[in-house]
Amino acid sequence: MAFPKAIVTRPLLPLLFSFSTTTLKPLFINPTSRPMRPSPFIPFASLSAAQVGEPSTPAFPSPRKSGERWKPMCLYYTQGKCTKMEDPIHMEKFNHDCSRDLQVKNSMSNRICSQHLDYFLVLDLEGKIEILEFPVLIIDAKTMNVVDFFHRFVRPSEMSEKRINEYIEGKYGKFGVDRVWHDTAIPFKDVLQEFEAWLTQHELLGEEVGGCLNQAAFVTCGNWDLKTKVPEQCKVAKVKLPSYFMEWINLKDVYLNFYKRRATGMMTMMKELHMPLLGSHHLGFDDSKNIARVLQHMLADGALMQITARRDHNSPEKVEFLFKNRIR
């Protein structure tokens, strides 16, 4: 299975494949090489001056050139399954470059404070009964650039085919991507295996199987994704909860303590930061990109991203919340 790159930072693992054309091409690399830092993207709109702890205004406008039409991501491409990369009509209709919506201006990095981590893994799951979508974006803590992304649709394991069809039609039919889901969804156990291979590719995973993250942390909009849903799904899939899910950064808690005001969700944060929504709310890949944009904005304003919740390794069901002031 291929892992499409938001930008080309280095080749993929030997057993992975490139979908840059309609023909699969195995790639061979030196697995000991370190991921390269991405080069700066085309400039965004610049931030206006603001004191640390106050959101800059006007904040990030739509990250595209004046008059340029926004295009949705090709969700076959995000999963390495696009077979229309040479079709000009398809390429005109859909975006195949994740960095297009996450461009940053070089001058924005001047206000970033020193972070304790090298990378942030922005995660936003979809699916209330079982996980249906698993998107993750790597954001470089120093440059704020997107390094790479991982995206899989997930097939439920404890639902009848009829119930799955009803569930998917209700969830993804309104976005017009239910066909993509049916064509690409795989079991959660397989998603975890591919995700761990992807983490290993970027040297973000410890040497042991399911080990802790290396100089990286998940960033979520709330605690539900990693406190509740992933452990539930692991039980359903009959797999052990991986160690890399033991701690995370709840962006809402950092937002509350940095800007000194509450934001109950992604839409509230974006509204207060004067950021337009890109894509469809509750489509996981779009939400993960919008959360990453909020993260970029906060980093540019000087926010320090710290772990907000941590599980007890001896009793994983116990979660310690590390911020006194937090969104409950």
Side-chain angles (χ1 to χ4, degrees):
M1 182 64 65
F3 303 116
K5 304 294 288 180
I7 53 176
V8 178
T9 57
R10 70 172 194 171
L12 300 183
L13 290 173
L15 297 181
L16 305 184
F17 295 88
S18 169
F19 283 84
S20 59
T21 67
T22 56
T23 303
L24 293 177
K25 295 182 179 180
L27 298 172
F28 300 92
I29 68 160
N30 177 2
T32 62
S33 61
R34 288 290 299 176
M36 296 172 61
R37 297 280 185 184
S39 58
F41 292 116
I42 299 171
F44 224 3
S46 60
L47 291 170
S48 59
Q51 295 180 346
V52 172
E54 289 295 328
S56 50
T57 56
F60 298 19
S62 181
R64 57 186 185 274
K65 296 178 182 178
S66 177
E68 184 179 357
R69 180 176 62 88
W70 180 85
K71 296 190 291 187
M73 285 293 296
C74 171
L75 297 179
Y76 286 102
Y77 173 78
T78 63
Q79 300 174 89
K81 295 184 178 181
C82 180
T83 60
K84 297 183 177 182
M85 297 292 287
E86 297 180 358
D87 181 345
I89 296 177
H90 174 79
M91 296 299 290
E92 174 61 26
K93 184 177 181 180
F94 293 101
N95 180 19
H96 294 73
D97 178 9
C98 182
S99 66
R100 182 174 175 174
D101 293 335
L102 292 161
Q103 296 171 355
V104 295
K105 189 175 178 67
N106 292 342
S107 61
M108 291 167 54
S109 61
N110 296 334
R111 302 181 62 200
I112 299 177
C113 69
S114 178
Q115 302 290 324
H116 302 315
L117 300 162
D118 292 335
Y119 299 100
F120 301 115
L121 306 180
V122 179
L123 166 71
D124 190 72
L125 303 174
E126 291 293 335
K128 292 183 178 180
I129 302 174
E130 290 193 46
I131 293 175
L132 299 177
E133 191 176 355
F134 191 104
V136 181
L137 284 80
I138 302 179
I139 301 296
D140 188 299
K142 291 182 179 179
T143 67
M144 299 188 294
N145 287 334
V146 56
V147 176
D148 197 4
F149 62 86
F150 178 91
H151 183 222
R152 294 293 181 271
F153 284 121
V154 188
R155 177 169 289 277
S157 58
E158 291 195 342
M159 298 172 64
S160 68
E161 198 64 27
K162 178 181 178 181
R163 182 69 185 97
I164 288 176
N165 290 336
E166 294 173 346
Y167 192 22
I168 298 308
E169 182 179 354
K171 170 64 178 175
Y172 289 111
K174 60 186 176 182
F175 302 132
V177 300
D178 47 327
R179 182 70 267 159
V180 182
W181 188 95
H182 283 292
D183 286 347
T184 61
I186 59 176
F188 181 72
K189 186 175 182 180
D190 295 339
V191 171
L192 281 187
Q193 290 176 347
E194 295 185 4
F195 181 59
E196 290 182 7
W198 182 78
L199 289 173
T200 301
Q201 169 200 339
H202 288 285
E203 299 185 7
L204 297 179
L205 195 60
E207 294 182 359
E208 69 278 14
V209 176
C212 298
L213 292 177
N214 179 25
Q215 286 301 304
F218 287 102
V219 174
T220 60
C221 187
N223 294 308
W224 176 84
D225 301 79
L226 294 182
K227 176 181 180 292
T228 302
K229 199 60 198 174
V230 166
E232 287 181 353
Q233 190 67 54
C234 285
K235 289 181 180 179
V236 170
K238 297 178 174 58
V239 296
K240 182 181 178 181
L241 179 67
S243 297
Y244 49 80
F245 287 133
M246 290 297 178
E247 60 182 25
W248 61 91
I249 298 170
N250 178 357
L251 199 60
K252 292 192 290 187
D253 287 351
V254 180
Y255 186 99
L256 170 64
N257 285 271
F258 182 66
Y259 292 126
K260 308 303 180 185
R261 61 193 196 203
R262 296 173 59 86
T264 56
M266 180 191 81
M267 296 296 286
T268 304
M269 288 190 284
M270 295 185 72
K271 182 178 180 181
E272 291 186 351
L273 296 175
H274 309 282
M275 303 178 69
L277 177 72
L278 297 182
S280 301
H281 189 27
H282 295 310
L283 179 59
F285 194 76
D286 284 351
D287 279 354
S288 65
K289 287 197 297 182
N290 282 311
I291 293 169
R293 291 171 62 223
V294 172
L295 170 65
Q296 288 173 324
H297 196 296
M298 293 179 65
L299 289 172
D301 277 353
L304 175 64
M305 295 296 150
Q306 298 174 284
I307 300 298
T308 64
R310 179 176 291 123
R311 292 184 181 279
D312 185 327
H313 279 263
N314 296 321
S315 302
E317 69 280 0
K318 296 180 181 179
V319 176
E320 179 185 7
F321 297 102
L322 306 180
F323 278 33
K324 180 178 179 181
N325 297 319
R326 64 185 184 90
I327 304 294
R328 300 180 185 276

